[in-house]
Amino acid sequence: ILEAMLVPMHAGSHKVTVTPSIGVCHSPEHGHTPLALMRHADTAMVVAKRERLGCCAFDAKMYRDIRERLTLESDLARALRADELEVHYQPRMACADDHVVSFEALVRWRHPERGLLPPNEFVGLAEESGMIAELGDQVMCKAMHQQSLWARAGFRVGVSINVSPKQFAAQKLSSSVRENIAQSRCDPRMIELEITESALFDDAESVLETLGGIRRLGMRIAIDDFGTGYSNLARLGTYPLDALKIDRAFVADTTQATLLEAIISMGHALGLELVAEGVETLEQASRMRERGCQEMQGFLYSRPLSAV
């Protein structure tokens, strides 16, 4: 069936290829009624589609995983309404004198039963379920409000906020940022949006328009986890960027020294501030400082912490 369906079809002047996903279950091992068998075959089909397997056979663990995932998705929808998301902050330090320059805002979920959940346990789910824009908007609003509180308390520190590729691609990002600035009464000059390389893959004109809109609001723009994606280097120089965050993999792995040097040289050539992520040892900090990084962040200085 898979082989037959993968043969291209002609629809008018267009050639169309259908990529099927098939879920399989067996009777009586996986159910004794038509309804149970259909439900389990459908579960296997969802896994086949998500994992791009083509065909997948049902098993009991798969059903438990799907059921747990659906429960977590429902819980996340409730969490967004119940204000269960928290923002923790990790300092970014100046290499010159080790003073705090700014804080990166990092989301956590205070689940009523599971406790405090890290982002890797729910951000991917939010992206797949279409809740990432709302989640990102809540984090942005909280982080901007915190910057405003620090400023009123006499602390001149910036806050950097992560923007997911799907959130960046949304047409209303600029207006959402503008509304959050007005609502939080933060200083936009002290706000930096961190955007991953993959967010820049789309239409260059659209990306440039979005970045330009953000820059006109007074905010800084950084490329996050640089080196893990596939940036168009010629295009990168045309975007209004301020900083480049070097992925922790290049900081920790000394065998990547050649790539690290290339990234740093490119950052300097583009006139960008360089921020080393995941710095955990004095040796790593010294190496980043010697290579001309302006800022560092990582467990050497502090784990992400609540503002209160």
Side-chain angles (χ1 to χ4, degrees), residues 73-101:
E73 185 176 322
S74 175
D75 287 350
L76 182 57
R78 186 209 67 247
L80 291 172
R81 297 190 300 269
D83 196 29
E84 292 177 4
L85 297 182
E86 298 180 5
V87 180
H88 289 195
Y89 299 88
Q90 186 174 40
R92 279 170 43 176
M93 317 296 293
C95 290
D97 55 12
D98 281 348
H99 78 274
V100 176
V101 176

Side-chain angles (χ1 to χ4, degrees), residues 16-301:
V16 179
T17 301
V18 176
T19 304
S21 298
I22 300 174
V24 177
C25 70
H26 300 116
S27 175
E29 299 96 319
H30 301 147
H32 296 278
T33 66
L35 182 61
L37 291 169
M38 288 294 293
R39 183 171 62 247
H40 294 163
D42 186 61
T43 297
M45 185 273 294
V46 170
V47 174
K49 185 175 182 179
R50 189 177 68 227
E51 304 295 333
R52 300 182 182 276
L53 299 174
C55 182
C56 184
F58 175 82
D59 61 46
K61 181 181 182 301
M62 183 185 299
Y63 184 67
R64 289 194 300 271
D65 291 345
I66 291 290
R67 186 169 56 185
E68 181 178 341
R69 180 183 178 83
L70 291 174
T71 299
L72 194 63
E73 185 176 322
S74 175
D75 287 350
L76 182 57
R78 186 209 67 247
L80 291 172
R81 297 190 300 269
D83 196 29
E84 292 177 4
L85 297 182
E86 298 180 5
V87 180
H88 289 195
Y89 299 88
Q90 186 174 40
R92 279 170 43 176
M93 317 296 293
C95 290
D97 55 12
D98 281 348
H99 78 274
V100 176
V101 176
S102 62
F103 292 89
E104 180 179 358
L106 298 162
V107 66
R108 301 289 187 268
W109 177 8
R110 183 72 64 178
H111 194 284
E113 298 173 0
R114 304 186 186 200
L116 193 65
L117 300 181
N120 62 299
E121 293 194 23
F122 62 90
V123 169
L125 177 63
E127 290 181 334
E128 293 176 16
S129 61
M131 289 185 274
I132 190 62
E134 185 179 356
L135 186 154
D137 195 53
Q138 286 195 19
V139 172
M140 184 182 296
C141 184
K142 290 174 184 286
M144 287 182 173
H145 180 66
Q146 184 59 55
Q147 190 281 324
S148 180
L149 290 176
W150 278 329
R152 278 180 269 169
F155 300 106
R156 184 173 173 76
V157 291
V159 174
S160 60
I161 304 166
N162 292 283
V163 176
S164 78
K166 290 187 178 180
Q167 187 183 2
F168 180 81
Q171 295 298 316
K172 64 175 186 175
L173 177 62
S174 294
S175 60
S176 176
V177 170
R178 190 181 298 108
E179 290 171 7
N180 283 323
I181 291 174
Q183 182 178 338
S184 65
R185 294 164 59 188
C186 70
D187 182 353
R189 296 169 299 177
M190 301 300 291
I191 301 295
E192 180 178 87
L193 296 189
E194 297 187 13
I195 300 163
T196 59
E197 289 180 79
S198 60
L200 307 180
F201 285 172
D202 292 331
D203 178 64
E205 186 175 340
S206 174
V207 169
L208 190 59
E209 181 180 350
T210 301
L211 293 178
I214 292 169
R215 175 62 75 78
R216 284 190 293 274
L217 293 172
M219 291 182 294
R220 291 165 48 87
I221 302 169
I223 298 298
D224 192 22
D225 297 332
F226 189 82
T228 60
Y230 303 92
S231 290
N232 182 323
L233 299 183
R235 186 185 296 175
L236 199 62
T238 67
Y239 292 144
L241 305 174
D242 298 282
L244 186 155
K245 301 191 74 176
I246 303 170
D247 186 77
R248 65 182 63 244
F250 298 101
V251 175
D253 189 353
T254 55
T255 65
Q256 302 279 358
T258 302
L259 286 175
L260 175 63
E261 294 288 353
I263 291 171
I264 291 174
S265 296
M266 188 192 68
H268 287 155
L270 293 173
L272 302 176
E273 291 184 8
L274 294 170
V275 183
E277 296 184 285
V279 176
E280 298 184 356
T281 67
L282 288 171
E283 181 185 358
Q284 292 171 356
S286 178
R287 190 164 64 245
M288 295 303 106
R289 189 177 289 111
E290 290 171 357
R291 282 161 174 73
C293 289
Q294 286 87 4
E295 297 178 25
M296 293 181 284
Q297 72 179 89
F299 290 173
L300 174 63
Y301 301 102

